[in-house]
Each structure stands twice: as structure tokens, then as C-alpha cells.
Amino acid sequence: MKIIRKIIIVVIVISIIFVGYFVIKGYNMYREAIETISLEDKIKQIRNVSNYTKLDEIPKIYLDAVISVEDHRFYEHNGIDIISICRAVINDIKQMSFVEGGSTITQQLAKNTYFTQEKKVERKVAEIFMAFNFEKNYSKDDILELYVNTSYFGDNCHTVKEASRHYFGKEPMKMTDYESIMLAGIPNAPSVYAPTINLKLAKERQRQVLNKMIEYKYLTEDEANSIIESE
């Protein structure tokens, strides 16, 4: 029993050192990013981009679709979703690889605005510090608006307005429910789900988004089926 206790203590100590190492590295990465350009200046920079799209220019069903598929507890958490992170960690350990991130919309916004897409533990930690900064200084609607204006939709489209014009030839508010839900699924993997690249996969991803909207009570199955049939 004494040997087992010693092993457990050693494992705990090593784990604490390991976690502490990456927390420090991540915090330093966060500090370096925020000192390069302040959060306030970064937000001004984003909002001054051509074709910046405000929430009142976007169909509600598009926003519901984004929240359903990306972060269904978005309006409940403070920047990170512990449940999603724990699930992601378990799945990553099982696969021995970064197969799932568990990132909230706020974390994704932090990554889109300040960090690279590189999968590193310290970048993930930096992303969390930045997410807390966003949540402290901006409302949930501000964060959602900024997120849909910093996501990549493929074909050199970086805002909802650019994407809706490019893929559907219309302003965002003119998009149909079918188009809105298809667009919400593209940023997950633009090189795969952009309808100009592979319409079949874009429709499969659209179905995934619809299933999430059904799961989280944004749509009934009948409503989802009607949207698919409306093409």
C-alpha cells in the first residue's frame, strides 16, 4: 500500500508540474499577444473591415444554427465550457491525438483574432486567457457578432456578408433557411464544406447542423425536413 501511495503522489506531483508548465507558457503567449495589439484596438480593426456584418443584418436561424453546432451553451458559460473540455480531453487521450478541441465560440474568436490554428497545448491555454478577456469586456452578442466576422468561409470569404454574396448571390437577410443553415456549417472545414468545392459534402454537413438544431430544440424534425425539402 505504501508503494502505491508513493506512486500516486509522484503521479500527482508530475501532473501538477506538467500543467503548471503549460499554464505559464500559455499565459506568456497570451500576454505577448495582448501587448502586441490591445483588445480594444483589435476589435476596432475587425469592425472596420469591409463587409463587416452586424447581427441585425443576419437571419436569426443562421445564428441559431451557429450556436447549435459550435457552442450550444454559449449564453450560459463565461468563456469556457468545462463539460466540453472534459469530453474533448477524454476523446483526445483515447485517440492519443488532438481529435477534439472542446472550444467555445469565445475561444474560437480568440484563436481567430490572435493566434494560429496550430494545435499546441500552450496555444490552447493562451486562447482560454484571451476568452476570459473577451467575456469580461464584451457582451455575448458582441462576441457572437465578432465571431461570425472572423470565421473563414472558404473561397476568400471572411464575413457572413461576403459568404452569402459569394455562394448565394444575395445579402445575408435574404438568405433562405436552407442557405443559412448550409452557411453555418462551412467554417468547420471550409476546404471540405464550401459548396463550390463539394456540394455533396456541404449538404451532409448541413444535415449535421440541422440534427444539432433538433437536438437543442431550435427546430422540430418536421421543420428540419421541410427546410431540406425546400431546396
Side-chain angles (χ1 to χ4, degrees), residues 27-45:
Y27 180 75
N28 288 338
M29 183 182 289
Y30 157 73
R31 289 304 311 170
E32 183 179 343
I34 209 75
E35 286 168 6
T36 300
I37 178 169
S38 70
L39 187 58
E40 183 181 4
D41 287 342
K42 174 63 76 172
I43 300 313
K44 285 179 182 177
Q45 193 179 77

Side-chain angles (χ1 to χ4, degrees), residues 92-111:
D92 289 346
I93 291 172
K94 285 179 180 177
Q95 298 294 324
M96 295 302 290
S97 177
F98 285 112
V99 295
E100 188 175 339
S103 292
T104 63
I105 282 175
T106 316
Q107 286 175 263
Q108 292 181 60
L109 172 61
K111 178 176 64 178

Side-chain angles (χ1 to χ4, degrees), residues 105-185:
I105 282 175
T106 316
Q107 286 175 263
Q108 292 181 60
L109 172 61
K111 178 176 64 178
N112 292 344
T113 52
Y114 276 98
F115 306 111
T116 68
Q117 303 295 317
E118 191 176 13
K119 293 183 177 180
K120 284 189 172 182
V121 175
E122 58 265 38
R123 194 228 73 206
K124 195 75 177 177
V125 173
E127 182 184 289
I128 290 172
F129 281 114
M130 191 66 74
F132 286 147
N133 201 349
F134 270 107
E135 293 275 346
K136 179 182 176 182
N137 291 285
Y138 294 91
S139 71
K140 286 290 188 178
D141 284 350
D142 284 333
I143 290 168
L144 183 59
E145 183 177 286
L146 291 163
Y147 171 72
V148 300
N149 281 280
T150 55
S151 297
Y152 184 55
F153 295 88
D155 286 3
N156 203 34
C157 298
H158 294 85
T159 70
V160 175
K161 192 175 292 184
E162 288 178 348
S164 64
R165 287 173 176 174
H166 175 70
Y167 292 120
F168 311 122
K170 59 183 71 172
E171 296 301 303
M173 284 302 291
K174 298 288 186 180
M175 287 192 295
T176 64
D177 292 349
Y178 183 94
E179 292 165 342
S180 294
I181 293 168
M182 178 173 282
L183 193 64

Side-chain angles (χ1 to χ4, degrees), residues 2 69 88 91 99 120 152 180 201 219 223:
K2 288 183 179 180
V69 77
N91 289 336
V99 295
K120 284 189 172 182
Y152 184 55
S180 294
L201 289 179
L219 294 174
E223 288 170 335

